[in-house]
Amino acid sequence: MNTASKSLSRRAARRFWGWGAAGTVLDTREQATVKFMVEQLGGQFAALTPPAVEDFSLSAPRIAAPTTLAAMFSSAPLDRLNHAYGKSYADCSRMWLRQVPRPPDWVAYPDDEQAVVDILDWAVRNKVAVIPYGGGSSVCGGVEPAVGHDYAAAISLDMERLGQVLEVDSVSRAARIQAGAYGPDIEAQLRAHGLTLRHFPQSFEFSTLGGWIATRAGGHYATQHTHIDDFVESTRMVTPAGLLQTRRLPASGAGPAPDRLVLGSEGTLGVITEAWMRLQAKPKFRASASVKFADYFAAARCLRALTQSGLNPSNCRLLDPMETVFSGVGDGRQPMLVLGFESADHPLNAWMERALELVRDHAGEYDAAAVARSMATEGSQEHRKGAAGAWREAFIRMPYWRDPAVGLGVIMDTFESAITWERFEFFYQNVKSEVQSTIQRVTGQESLVSCRVTHAYPDGLAPYFTIAVLGSANGDVASALSAWREIKLSANAAVVAHGGTITHHHAVGRDHRSGYELESPLLFRQMLGAAKKVVDPSGILNPGVLFDAQGHSAAAGSVLAG
Ligand SMILES: Cc1cc2nc3c(=O)[nH]c(=O)nc-3n(C[C@H](O)[C@H](O)[C@H](O)COP(=O)(O)OP(=O)(O)OC[C@H]3O[C@@H](n4cnc5c(N)ncnc54)[C@H](O)[C@@H]3O)c2cc1C
C-alpha cells in the first residue's frame, strides 16, 4: 500500500487543479488572450501561483486498505487530490480555493479485471463506496466522492492500468479495447492496423474509453455517428453481482439491448472493463469550408437543410457571433458554419458541391478557392488552415486558457442541450436571456454568452453555450463560485423548461440530476433503480450519481448544494 507521497499513477503527471498535463504552459499569444479576456470582463490580470499539493491538509483515510490488494492502493496526497473532483468550473475553482473536504480515502489502481472483481468484493463486505474513474474529465460531478454518511469510506477506482487494445478484427473492422485506454493510446495502438476509432471529444487527450461509454460521450462527428454509442459493438462490465458480457453483433432485434443499459450508466451499475468497438479506415479525402452568414437563424436554417439532405457532413459546427470571438475565427459580427466532409474511400467533390448549393440558397458566403484547395488533392491539409484550422486549434487549447482565468475570479463554464428544430429559435433566445439575467442579478457584471451547435440531426440540434463573466466586482473566487451555483441552477432549469434535454453529451452526474428527474419518466427511473438493486444490492457504486437508490434529494452531494 502506498501511503508515501509518491503517486502510484503510471501516466504522465496531470494538473490536479485544472486541465491537462502538469507541465503545460500557455504561449505568449495565449497568455495575452487570457489577459485581454480578464480585462475585458472588468477583472485585473495578475500571474497567480497555482495550487500545490502542500497547500492541502487532507483528512486521514477512514479505513485500512485490503492487505491482499494493498500494492494497488494509494493514499498519496497527489493521487487523492487528482481524484477528488472532475474538471468542471466548480471543481477547478474549489481547487483554487484549496477546498477539498472529501477526498477519496484511497485511490485503487487495479492491475487487471480480476483485481476489479476483488476490490468490489472487499468494498461490498466493508460498505465502501466505489467511484469508477477513467480520465476524471467529468464536468457534472460524476467522479466526486461526495457519498454522504452511509459508507465506511469512499475509494476512487482508476482504470488507467487497463489501457490496451487487446485484439483487432480487421475483417469486421472492430477492436477489443480495455476501458482505461486514453484517446491517444487507442489511436496509437490502432494506427499499426491502418484503422481508427475516430471518437475525438474535446477532452480526447485526457479521457478514456470506459468514461466515454459510461457517459455516452459526444465526439468528432457532427452528424450521424454523434455519440460513442454508435461505435459500441459489445461491452464487458464487472458488477458486484457478477460479470455482464454482451455478444458481438452488428445489430440485433432481440429485446431491449443490454449494451444500452451499460451506455450512460455513469459508474452506477458496474465497472466497464472492455468493449468491442467498431472501427474505420483513416480518411484520405477531405473537403472543408468556412461559411459566414448575415444572420444566426438563417445559418441555423441552412444547417437544418444540410442535416435533412442526407449528405451527413462529418463536421457541421455552427458558431454564433460571440462564439467566433471565443474561437478566434471571427470578430463577433457574423455567425460561422464550419463544414467538412471526410472519406477513406472516395473524393467528396459531389457532396461538397451539393452542400454549397444549400449554403448559397441560405445566403452563406465562403472562399471558393479555399474549398477547391481542400478537395484538390488526396490527403489535403487545407482543413487545418484558415478559419476551420483556427477553430480546431482553439477547440483543443481552450480548456488550458480557463485555468488562470478561474483563479482570477472569472466564471467560465459551459452547458449544453438538444432540442428539436421547430423549437430552436425560441429555446436559444429564452435560455440565453434567462441565463444572462441571472448572471447580471448575481454578479452585477456584464457577461459574454455564446453558443455553438456541436451536433446536428435531421430532427434537431445540440446547442452548447459558453459563459464568461467576472464572478464579483473584486474578482474573489469564493464569491464567483457562489454566484456560479445560482447561474448553473438557472441554466439547468432553463434548458429543461424550454423543452430541451438536461444534457446532450456531458452526462447527468450529480450536477444535472434535478433536470434529469424532470425530463425522464419516474417509471423509467424506478426500472433503473430495480436494475441497480440486482447488480449492486449494497448500493456501493457511485452513490448519488445519475439517480439515488437511497432516495436522497437530487441536490445532495452536488457542489450545487453549497
Ligand atoms: C475540457 C473538456 C472538454 C470536454 N469535451 C467533451 C466532448 O467533446 N464530448 C463529451 O461528450 N464530453 C466532453 N467532456 C466531458 C468528459 O470528457 C466526458 O464526460 C468523458 O466521456 C469522460 O471520460 P473520462 O474517462 O474522463 O471519465 P471520468 O470523468 O473519469 O468519469 C465519468 C463518469 O463515467 C464513470 N466511469 C468512468 N470510467 C468508467 C468505467 N470504466 N466503468 C464504469 N463507469 C466509468 C465515472 O464513474 C463517472 O460517472 C469534456 C470535459 C472537459 C473537461
Side-chain angles (χ1 to χ4, degrees):
M1 133 189 22
N2 181 42
T3 49
S5 56
K6 197 168 168 337
S7 166
L8 273 195
S9 171
R10 294 175 186 166
R11 300 197 62 88
R14 282 174 297 152
R15 275 182 187 170
F16 69 86
W17 52 274
W19 181 247
T24 307
V25 282
L26 298 183
D27 65 26
T28 321
R29 190 175 53 85
E30 289 172 331
Q31 283 174 25
T33 307
V34 176
K35 182 170 185 294
F36 177 74
M37 188 186 68
V38 171
E39 287 172 355
Q40 280 292 105
L41 292 170
Q44 287 210 329
F45 184 79
L48 297 177
T49 307
V53 174
E54 304 69 52
D55 299 348
F56 296 82
S57 160
L58 304 179
S59 49
R62 291 167 292 176
I63 191 169
T67 326
T68 50
L69 301 164
M72 299 173 216
F73 273 61
S74 169
S75 65
L78 178 57
D79 284 335
R80 295 177 74 200
L81 287 171
N82 252 325
H83 294 78
Y85 298 133
K87 298 295 175 194
S88 71
Y89 160 77
D91 298 335
C92 299
S93 60
R94 284 180 292 173
M95 283 298 184
W96 278 105
L97 290 167
R98 279 74 169 170
Q99 278 176 8
V100 183
R102 295 173 299 229
D105 293 270
W106 294 92
V107 179
Y109 294 93
D111 284 331
D112 51 28
E113 187 179 86
Q114 186 54 50
V116 175
V117 173
D118 295 342
I119 291 169
L120 291 191
D121 283 351
W122 167 81
V124 168
R125 282 197 308 277
N126 292 282
K127 193 71 180 164
V128 171
V130 177
I131 291 107
Y133 184 101
S137 66
S138 169
V139 281
C140 55
V143 291
E144 184 174 341
V147 301
H149 301 293
D150 300 326
Y151 299 88
I155 64 162
S156 187
L157 185 76
D158 188 319
M159 297 294 284
E160 67 164 47
R161 295 186 187 174
L162 284 85
Q164 297 302 308
V165 173
L166 298 172
E167 237 177 298
V168 175
D169 171 353
S170 40
V171 175
S172 302
R173 280 216 314 221
R176 182 158 71 95
I177 307 174
Q178 287 185 305
Y182 278 53
D185 303 338
I186 295 173
E187 291 300 327
Q189 292 175 69
L190 293 176
R191 203 164 295 133
H193 303 268
L195 293 166
T196 165
L197 176 60
R198 287 195 91 52
H199 180 75
F200 299 130
Q202 190 184 21
S203 53
F204 172 76
E205 263 186 288
F206 301 101
S207 57
T208 63
L209 178 67
W212 300 340
I213 294 174
T215 59
R216 304 186 57 205
H220 163 78
Y221 289 100
T223 69
Q224 210 176 19
H225 314 292
T226 53
H227 287 94
I228 191 73
D229 311 23
D230 302 315
F231 300 111
V232 172
E233 196 177 66
S234 82
T235 50
R236 188 173 167 92
M237 184 165 83
V238 172
T239 80
L243 187 67
L244 183 74
Q245 166 76 67
T246 68
R247 179 176 286 214
R248 272 191 74 195
L249 290 167
S252 165
D259 290 322
R260 287 268 160 202
L261 207 55
V262 175
L263 280 155
S265 55
E266 301 192 29
T268 63
L269 300 180
V271 181
I272 301 158
T273 52
E274 34 182 272
W276 273 95
M277 300 300 296
R278 302 185 175 111
L279 306 177
Q280 304 166 62
K282 246 180 139 33
K284 284 192 267 186
F285 300 94
R286 288 196 168 84
S288 60
S290 309
V291 185
K292 286 189 177 163
F293 294 85
D295 167 52
Y296 185 55
F297 292 128
R301 284 191 288 279
C302 179
L303 179 60
R304 173 160 64 88
L306 285 163
T307 56
Q308 293 178 346
S309 67
L311 288 166
N312 293 326
S314 51
N315 197 358
C316 204
R317 259 92 191 181
L318 174 59
L319 319 182
D320 77 358
M322 182 52 71
E323 184 75 23
T324 67
V325 178
F326 283 163
S327 305
V329 298
D331 57 11
R333 283 185 299 184
Q334 282 179 287
M336 180 183 285
L337 179 67
V338 183
L339 181 62
F341 291 90
E342 59 178 47
S343 168
D345 181 69
H346 46 261
L348 294 151
N349 303 46
W351 279 257
M352 184 53 103
E353 278 156 22
R354 175 63 190 133
L356 292 177
E357 275 174 14
L358 293 170
V359 161
R360 288 194 296 274
D361 289 348
H362 291 84
E365 290 172 3
Y366 54 91
D367 176 350
V371 180
R373 279 197 302 278
S374 77
M375 300 190 288
T377 50
E378 198 178 306
S380 159
Q381 291 299 304
E382 191 65 28
H383 64 291
R384 297 204 185 251
K385 299 183 189 153
W391 174 80
R392 187 179 172 279
E393 179 64 16
F395 181 67
I396 294 166
R397 292 294 297 178
M398 212 181 279
Y400 285 101
W401 306 352
R402 186 183 61 175
D403 291 341
V406 170
L408 292 167
V410 171
I411 301 173
M412 276 196 87
D413 198 16
T414 62
F415 60 95
E416 39 85 57
S417 183
I419 185 85
T420 47
W421 283 112
E422 88 289 357
R423 288 178 294 179
F424 172 59
E425 293 188 18
F426 176 83
F427 178 87
Y428 172 83
Q429 278 163 333
N430 283 285
V431 168
K432 201 169 155 179
S433 74
E434 283 169 28
V435 172
Q436 266 173 325
S437 81
T438 305
I439 295 174
Q440 172 67 37
R441 179 173 56 78
V442 298
T443 65
Q445 307 291 315
E446 288 303 318
S447 59
L448 302 176
V449 179
S450 72
C451 180
R452 68 175 184 257
V453 176
T454 58
H455 301 85
Y457 304 88
D459 58 341
L461 69 172
Y464 182 109
F465 295 87
T466 299
I467 61 172
V469 63
L470 192 65
S472 68
N474 64 5
D476 160 53
V477 180
S479 310
L481 177 59
S482 123
W484 171 86
R485 288 193 175 97
E486 293 203 46
I487 297 166
K488 180 71 180 169
L489 287 168
S490 157
N492 281 356
V495 291
V496 179
H498 295 301
T501 171
I502 188 69
T503 174
H504 171 267
H505 59 262
H506 277 171
V508 175
R510 297 174 186 283
D511 302 348
H512 296 150
R513 263 187 58 199
S514 58
Y516 181 62
E517 288 176 9
L518 289 175
E519 119 184 28
S520 62
L522 172 62
L523 194 53
F524 176 72
R525 292 200 311 282
Q526 287 170 340
M527 289 161 70
L528 211 50
K532 166 114 176 144
K533 283 210 171 68
V534 172
V535 289
D536 180 22
S538 324
I540 56 154
L541 282 169
N542 220 355
V545 162
L546 184 59
F547 62 104
D548 196 332
Q550 295 172 330
H552 294 152
S553 81
S558 164
V559 62
L560 288 166

